[in-house]
Amino acid sequence: AFQRNCSPDMPVVIADYSWRETDGFVYLDVPLKGSRAGNVDVFSTDLYIKVSCPPYLFDVRLFDAVEEAKCSATIGNGLVSLKLEKQEARLWHRLSHPNSEDKVWMQEERQAALSHAHKRAEEEKKTKATQKREAERYALKQQMKQEEEARDAIEQSKQAEIDRTSAELEAWKAKEEEAAQILELEEVTEKEQSNGKSTESESCADRGLKKEADNVLRERKTDSRDRRRDKAMSKSEKQRPRKDTQHGGGTLLDNTPSLRQSGKIEVKFTPRVLDTPMRESRQPEEEEWLRKMAEAGRTPGLASKSEGDLSERNPLWLKDKGKLVLNRWLCECK
């Protein structure tokens, strides 16, 4: 059943709800026949429950507190089912508080529930902001850690390369020093042999170095002799004519084609009356200008392009040409 207040603008209060309880939970069913799920609004706190779907309204001040974060609501088939978990495991034996009939007390409870909801929303907002800052700080730390690891890897690679290069340089220096000692020992040995001195007084260490120097000198002489032989062979192969494998003998020079004979190509240009380059876009204008100039010269047949240079038949040009010839004749007469 529904209860309507006297004013037509007031909501319809739902009175035919049903509920049941256990020691730990309360199950509440609120009927909303003919209402769509998208229009239903459920508001709950630890002590207050409100279900609204205009023009229907259901609210109750609970007998005892419930776990606000663990409450759930299911909307469907014209019914809103709420599952409320009690903070204290015991039977209530009634759903609403004994003072629910007091309208003033109920109004105060509604305001307290709204204030509690606003406070909870602010706390959730602050919590989300804090979590967001923590996530950003953590992401920044991870990024800095990755960059630091990358820098350390680069520094380790550089240091390894420096160590490797230093080791190679030290090995090269050691070889150079050893080679210098061997050369110095060879010079001393050659001087002693040239002076006819006896080598019986040499120490065991000097004898070992001398033997090693002789081996190195022998290897160098062998390598030099091999290089000279290879160079001579390559030079003789270059000078020797190569055989043509495709024609069964003969040299490559025999198959080389002869040079082409030189010739001349005659180029003839299309005759043109005007000195400017010919353009297809300006051709109608040029023809019109030539026609007008031919008419101005009063000479029949000048409009044709095949009758010579139009500039030589222009009256103005002929006048200037005559003045020039006259001036020259006068100068020669003087």
Side-chain angles (χ1 to χ4, degrees):
F2 299 97
Q3 295 181 1
R4 179 178 289 275
N5 295 330
C6 296
S7 176
D9 298 333
M10 298 298 290
V12 178
V13 179
I14 301 174
D16 59 344
Y17 63 89
S18 62
W19 73 284
R20 62 187 185 279
E21 69 171 338
T22 61
D23 290 340
F25 294 92
V26 174
Y27 301 92
L28 176 62
D29 296 330
V30 180
L32 293 173
K33 295 181 180 180
S35 300
R36 293 186 300 176
N39 298 332
V40 179
D41 182 24
V42 179
F43 174 76
S44 65
T45 62
D46 56 345
L47 293 173
Y48 180 76
I49 302 294
K50 177 183 177 182
V51 179
S52 63
C53 181
Y56 304 109
L57 174 66
F58 171 80
D59 65 338
V60 61
R61 188 351 182 125
L62 298 176
F63 180 79
D64 201 356
V66 296
E67 294 292 343
E68 183 178 356
K70 297 181 180 180
C71 297
S72 62
T74 304
I75 304 173
N77 297 326
L79 184 68
V80 179
S81 301
L82 292 93
K83 180 181 178 181
L84 312 176
E85 183 176 348
K86 299 178 180 179
Q87 290 186 0
E88 184 180 354
R90 64 188 182 92
L91 295 176
W92 292 354
H93 300 290
R94 60 179 299 167
L95 180 63
S96 61
H97 194 272
N99 296 333
S100 297
E101 299 298 331
D102 189 352
K103 294 183 179 180
V104 177
W105 184 81
M106 279 296 297
Q107 186 65 25
E108 293 176 355
E109 290 296 321
R110 292 189 185 97
Q111 293 296 330
L114 291 175
S115 300
H116 176 74
H118 291 164
K119 183 178 179 180
R120 182 185 61 185
E122 291 293 333
E123 292 177 353
E124 290 179 354
K125 184 177 179 181
K126 292 180 180 179
T127 302
K128 289 181 179 179
T130 303
Q131 293 176 355
K132 183 179 179 180
R133 287 195 299 271
E134 292 295 332
E136 292 176 352
R137 190 178 296 119
Y138 177 77
L140 181 60
K141 288 183 179 179
Q142 292 296 323
Q143 183 178 0
M144 294 175 63
K145 182 178 179 181
Q146 293 178 359
E147 293 178 354
E148 185 176 359
E149 291 177 354
R151 286 195 298 269
D152 293 341
I154 293 173
E155 291 296 331
Q156 291 177 1
S157 177
K158 289 182 179 179
Q159 188 63 34
E161 187 68 19
I162 292 173
D163 296 340
R164 185 181 64 81
T165 307
S166 301
E168 293 178 356
L169 182 61
E170 293 296 333
W172 178 79
K173 288 182 178 180
K175 289 182 180 179
E176 291 294 328
E177 292 177 357
E178 184 178 358
Q181 292 178 359
I182 292 173
L183 291 176
E184 184 178 358
L185 182 60
E186 288 179 357
E187 293 177 357
V188 172
T189 304
E190 290 177 357
K191 288 181 180 180
E192 291 180 354
Q193 289 178 356
S194 61
N195 296 330
K197 294 182 179 180
S198 177
T199 58
E200 294 179 355
S201 61
E202 293 180 350
S203 62
C204 295
D206 293 339
R207 290 177 182 177
L209 290 175
K210 180 180 179 182
K211 185 177 181 181
E212 186 175 357
D214 293 339
N215 293 333
V216 173
L217 183 61
R218 191 181 302 108
E219 290 178 358
R220 289 184 177 179
K221 290 180 179 180
T222 304
D223 294 340
S224 178
R225 185 169 56 256
D226 294 339
R227 284 196 299 270
R228 287 196 299 271
R229 184 177 64 253
D230 294 340
K231 186 175 181 181
M233 291 177 64
S234 62
K235 185 176 181 180
S236 62
E237 288 180 358
K238 288 182 179 179
Q239 295 177 355
R240 184 186 308 167
R242 292 180 294 179
K243 299 293 184 178
D244 188 1
T245 57
Q246 295 182 356
H247 297 82
T251 63
L252 291 176
L253 296 176
D254 297 338
N255 298 326
T256 303
S258 59
L259 298 177
R260 296 179 180 178
Q261 296 180 357
S262 60
K264 295 182 179 181
I265 299 175
E266 295 183 359
V267 179
K268 295 182 180 181
F269 297 95
T270 304
R272 179 170 170 76
V273 177
L274 301 178
D275 297 336
T276 58
M278 182 177 180
R279 295 183 182 177
E280 294 182 358
S281 60
R282 305 297 296 273
Q283 187 173 1
E285 298 179 3
E286 293 178 358
E287 293 179 354
E288 181 67 19
W289 185 82
L290 292 174
R291 187 182 60 80
K292 290 181 179 180
M293 292 299 295
E295 292 178 356
R298 297 180 181 178
T299 303
L302 285 180
S304 178
K305 296 181 180 179
S306 62
E307 294 181 358
D309 190 357
L310 181 61
S311 61
E312 296 180 358
R313 294 182 174 87
N314 190 353
L316 299 177
W317 181 84
L318 293 174
K319 182 180 178 182
D320 294 337
K321 187 69 173 179
K323 289 181 179 180
L324 179 61
V325 173
L326 181 61
N327 292 333
R328 290 182 180 177
W329 181 76
L330 291 175
C331 291
E332 292 177 358
C333 292
K334 293 180 180 179

